[in-house]
Amino acid sequence: MPREAEPSLNERAFILQALRENIRLDGRALDAFRNLSLTFGDEYGVCDVQLGKTRILTRISAEITAPFPDRKFDGIFTISTELSPMASPAFEVGRQTETETLLSRLLEKSIRRSSALDTESLCILSGSKCWSVRADVHVLSSDAGLVDASCIAVIAALQHFRRPDVSVSGESVTVYSMSERVPVPLAMLHHPLCVTVAFFEAGEIVVVDPTLREQQVCEGEMVVTANRTGEVCQISKMGGVPAEAVGVLRAVEVAVGKVRELSEVVRKAVEEDGKRRNVGGMMEELRAENER
């Protein structure tokens, strides 16, 4: 099974010594994120996120289907991840690695189980028809930070996505094209984002957003999911060195601060794209047509 090239003993010693002196190889502070950029496609719901050398492409799609029998008043929301060999030689086609399993589970816990998307708003006809929203996450380049970048990409794409407007008359459902009615945004209850922290020197040194080399050298990792209001959605620590309660609380406090910063970046990117699309105020005119 292919694996990432491990750092040599000299590289490992150099990275650890630099961290003891509060120095990172890329010049960042210990609590700083890499450069983050968001690009939206021509279609609604397509978001390209670059976090340092890590690149994630997410596409949101929606179709009308039947709801689950035990959730008649809820729509369906699923997240699918794909890690191809193009992103890293450690990934294989058709074989799910431990990294992909962790990524899909953390996205599931952070976004779907925390009810970031209001699935009740996806219901069209109770027990008969609902919207099935699917988020496809494609990892194009991997340099650690997959959970953080993927969560940003999914949340930004959900905010950017617009579904076709529908009308219900009795048992019949009419779906309008974008030329007939302005598409409708998804109802989001909150916007959770993930922050990964790495522990070094038995938890004495805590690093935010580790790179691949730092990830390979670290003694343990923890993923904190929170929203802009400071609510912690989940904390996952995947083995490694034991962390004291005080150290965990300190890491969570740093992560919540970073989530607020990231949320502001995502909000501004979505607003700028909305202004770019709303040339001459056409979207407001179409919304007025919908209301009439």
Side-chain angles (χ1 to χ4, degrees):
M1 181 176 176
R3 296 179 59 187
E4 288 280 0
E6 293 288 335
S8 65
L9 294 177
N10 287 339
E11 286 179 306
R12 187 181 295 270
F14 183 80
I15 293 171
L16 291 175
Q17 182 59 36
L19 289 174
R20 294 188 192 104
E21 300 175 11
N22 292 331
I23 298 173
R24 299 176 75 172
L25 300 187
D26 52 9
R28 288 182 289 152
L30 298 185
D31 62 347
F33 257 81
R34 288 170 284 182
N35 292 330
L36 173 65
S37 67
L38 287 84
T39 306
F40 297 101
D42 294 332
E43 296 182 8
Y44 283 114
V46 178
C47 182
D48 186 351
V49 170
Q50 284 188 274
L51 183 63
K53 294 181 180 178
T54 298
R55 186 175 180 185
I56 307 291
L57 179 66
T58 297
R59 183 178 184 273
I60 307 295
S61 57
E63 62 178 1
I64 295 178
T65 184
F68 294 124
D70 57 336
R71 310 281 293 190
K72 296 181 179 180
F73 300 99
D74 286 357
I76 301 171
F77 176 46
T78 56
I79 302 174
S80 173
T81 57
E82 180 194 25
L83 280 70
S84 68
M86 177 177 65
S88 169
F91 305 144
E92 287 187 86
V93 178
R95 175 181 291 183
Q96 193 173 39
T97 62
E98 181 182 357
T99 302
E100 186 172 1
T101 303
L102 287 174
L103 176 61
S104 59
R105 287 180 180 175
L106 285 173
L107 290 178
E108 184 87 0
K109 289 171 61 179
S110 302
I111 301 174
R112 199 180 72 83
R113 293 188 187 176
S114 70
S115 299
L117 179 63
D118 182 13
T119 53
E120 287 188 9
S121 66
L122 302 177
C123 179
I124 301 174
L125 279 175
S126 173
S128 176
K129 289 182 174 62
C130 71
W131 286 104
S132 175
V133 177
R134 176 187 172 101
D136 290 294
V137 181
H138 304 278
V139 179
L140 304 181
S141 179
S142 174
D143 185 33
L146 291 181
V147 176
D148 302 356
S150 298
C151 191
I152 293 171
V154 172
I155 292 298
L158 286 172
Q159 293 183 66
H160 184 257
F161 181 69
R162 301 289 186 272
R163 63 167 177 80
D165 195 14
V166 297
S167 64
V168 180
S169 177
E171 293 294 322
S172 65
V173 176
T174 305
V175 181
Y176 297 95
S177 65
M178 293 189 179
S179 59
E180 293 174 316
R181 285 192 180 182
V182 65
V184 181
L186 298 176
M188 302 284 291
L189 299 179
H190 67 128
H191 304 90
L193 295 176
C194 296
V195 174
T196 301
V197 295
F199 298 102
F200 300 85
E201 298 292 315
E204 293 295 323
I205 301 175
V206 178
V207 170
V208 173
D209 184 27
T211 61
L212 181 60
R213 279 288 180 259
E214 291 171 341
Q215 191 179 58
Q216 291 172 323
V217 173
C218 75
E219 299 172 355
E221 280 187 305
M222 185 172 71
V223 178
V224 180
T225 306
N227 55 31
R228 67 182 72 176
T229 61
E231 297 173 325
V232 178
C233 304
Q234 69 89 30
I235 299 176
S236 296
K237 188 177 182 304
M238 290 76 72
V241 64
E244 295 184 358
V246 176
V248 171
L249 290 175
R250 193 184 309 121
V252 169
E253 185 178 355
V254 172
V256 169
K258 292 300 171 185
V259 165
R260 291 194 176 101
E261 296 176 11
L262 296 174
S263 297
E264 189 64 20
V265 173
V266 173
R267 184 188 64 81
K268 288 182 178 179
V270 174
E271 284 185 358
E272 289 175 4
D273 186 79
K275 292 177 182 178
R276 180 180 64 84
R277 292 172 183 272
N278 187 21
V279 180
M282 289 297 295
M283 296 301 288
E284 279 76 4
E285 293 184 16
L286 290 172
R287 285 195 185 92
E289 286 289 331
N290 279 19
E291 293 171 0
R292 286 199 290 269

